[in-house]
Amino acid sequence: MKPAHGSYERLVRPLLFSLDAETAHHLTINLLGRASQLDIALRVLRHFRPASKPIALFGLNFPNPIGLAAGLDKNGVALPAWAALGFGFIEIGTVTAKAQPGNPRPRIFRFPEQQALINRLGFNNDGADSIAQRLRALRESGRWPAVPVGINIGKSRVTPLEQATDDYLYSFRMLRDFADYITLNVSSPNTPGLRELQEPGKLSDLLRALGNEAGTPPKPLMVKISPDVSAAELKAILAVCEENGVAGIIATNTTLDHSSIAPQLDQAGGLSGAPLRGKSTELVREIAAHSTIPVIASGGIFDAESAREKFQAGAHLIQLYTGFVYRGPQLLREIIDGS
């Protein structure tokens, strides 16, 4: 039984888009969280699952190269549902050492004409302790997904930049046992000063500290970078990542370039979606040309063509966020069938 093509865009999206963006987001996550606890619901979701297209990377086996980007399931409440829908891997977070509410609402904005979102959520999440507890309960329930799970960690807003390493280390220690890989988010535009951690000295200190904690066997470490870095900044980031044995680079986070949005409609925050496609692809191409570190591409993937563009630029894996919001679960099958 295959789901009706385009049923999400025809039926579900209009309902979700009739709600405030964050309300729609919470409703979706809550429903998927409940579905994660019901075998019958998971069986229904599996009808969306694309054909298998396995890939091995970072010492992990991915049933297909399409992942869920961090930000959609910040607190890790719906892992079984994401796996049932057919994601080849799931990245939860961003998780911070301390629980935090994030920025004041409204803080997610849709731009359907541009197929874009702007968010200034500010790492709202339950905190490393609570999320570790949730993941432990999931593992003990026997419902842990059979796909790689990444955990994306960032700096708590109240933690001064000079204490960032300790903050990341706390989350790393709390969560590493539940992660197949750990992503360092040093590129969100919505936590003041965070992007300074992309500077070579600070990034090197952070990676060295986490590398010393990696355990046996060490967890693959990813670094998620901004699409707004210059060529010189990218070169420096790549050098630091290579020196410190980073397993992969996620390119990219959201952008502060809002030139695609009319000034009277613009909002503060990071822009994602179709307008980011070109900038993200160019960065993937640059990384692939100058480094042997594998790339996970994220940014403006809305169909088979934009996914293929990322792979042709040198990406090994891709991640969906805004494209999934606009296109729904059938996007996964469309990408697999078209690549």
Side-chain angles (χ1 to χ4, degrees):
M1 173 184 165
K2 287 189 178 183
H5 184 70
S7 56
Y8 172 85
E9 287 168 274
R10 279 198 328 274
L11 304 172
V12 180
R13 190 178 74 189
L15 288 172
L16 291 175
F17 277 36
S18 71
L19 302 170
D20 160 77
E22 188 164 354
T23 302
H25 179 101
H26 287 308
L27 175 64
T28 303
I29 296 299
N30 288 340
L31 288 172
L32 290 172
R34 289 179 189 176
S36 294
Q37 298 165 27
L38 297 169
D39 290 341
I40 189 167
L42 293 174
R43 279 199 297 274
V44 171
L45 293 179
R46 286 188 193 107
H47 292 310
F48 288 97
R49 186 179 283 181
S52 184
K53 193 176 183 181
I55 176 172
L57 197 64
F58 317 125
L60 302 170
N61 295 311
F62 299 83
N64 68 60
I66 308 171
L68 181 78
L72 260 171
D73 191 352
K74 289 175 177 289
N75 295 310
V77 301
L79 273 72
W82 299 120
L85 283 167
F87 282 98
F89 62 110
I90 305 157
E91 187 168 317
I92 68 165
T94 296
V95 183
T96 54
K98 299 174 173 72
Q100 53 188 42
N103 292 320
R105 292 177 71 161
R107 50 194 182 173
I108 310 177
F109 307 90
R110 303 187 193 97
F111 298 88
E113 197 176 312
Q114 290 82 12
Q115 292 193 298
L117 296 173
I118 288 177
N119 94 78
R120 51 170 182 261
L121 287 160
F123 289 171
N124 54 311
N125 75 103
D126 294 342
D129 292 18
S130 176
I131 291 168
Q133 201 174 351
R134 179 176 295 121
L135 296 178
R136 185 173 292 108
L138 178 64
R139 183 169 279 168
E140 289 168 359
S141 76
R143 293 183 179 274
W144 193 267
V147 302
V149 173
I151 303 181
N152 181 304
I153 59 175
K155 184 187 79 68
S156 305
R157 190 183 186 99
V158 297
T159 301
L161 207 58
E162 55 273 18
Q163 292 168 26
T165 295
D166 289 341
D167 198 81
Y168 279 87
L169 274 172
Y170 184 87
S171 297
F172 182 82
R173 290 167 182 153
M174 289 299 299
L175 296 164
R176 64 180 163 195
D177 290 346
F178 306 104
D180 292 298
Y181 70 86
I182 297 275
T183 297
L184 304 186
N185 188 342
V186 290
S187 52
S188 168
N190 298 318
T191 294
L194 188 78
R195 286 186 169 189
E196 289 180 37
L197 295 174
Q198 292 181 126
E199 292 171 5
K202 292 185 174 78
L203 183 58
S204 189
D205 288 347
L206 181 56
L207 288 170
R208 201 172 296 118
L210 288 164
N212 291 338
E213 286 279 334
T216 309
K219 296 288 179 184
L221 276 183
M222 315 291 158
V223 173
K224 187 167 188 174
I225 65 171
S226 161
D228 303 325
V229 292
S230 67
E233 287 168 332
L234 179 62
K235 187 177 177 184
I237 289 168
L238 292 176
V240 169
C241 288
E242 283 167 1
E243 285 163 19
N244 287 279
V246 165
I249 293 178
I250 301 180
T252 63
N253 214 314
T254 57
T255 181
L256 288 173
D257 175 2
H258 294 191
S259 56
S260 57
I261 306 296
Q264 67 272 23
L265 299 175
D266 199 11
Q267 292 284 343
L271 177 85
S272 62
L276 184 53
R277 173 177 169 178
K279 186 178 270 204
S280 167
T281 300
E282 189 50 43
L283 210 63
V284 171
R285 194 175 284 118
E286 284 296 304
I287 295 165
H290 295 104
S291 174
T292 56
I293 299 175
V295 183
I296 301 174
S298 182
I301 301 168
F302 273 74
D303 51 24
E305 183 196 352
S306 49
R308 201 159 46 240
E309 178 182 284
K310 293 289 194 277
F311 291 124
Q312 288 169 350
H316 293 71
L317 303 169
I318 60 174
Q319 288 182 325
L320 306 179
Y321 184 127
T322 307
F324 186 78
V325 170
Y326 278 91
R327 298 291 321 283
Q330 70 263 20
L331 178 57
L332 282 76
R333 180 172 287 164
E334 190 179 308
I335 290 170
I336 294 295
D337 291 350
S339 60

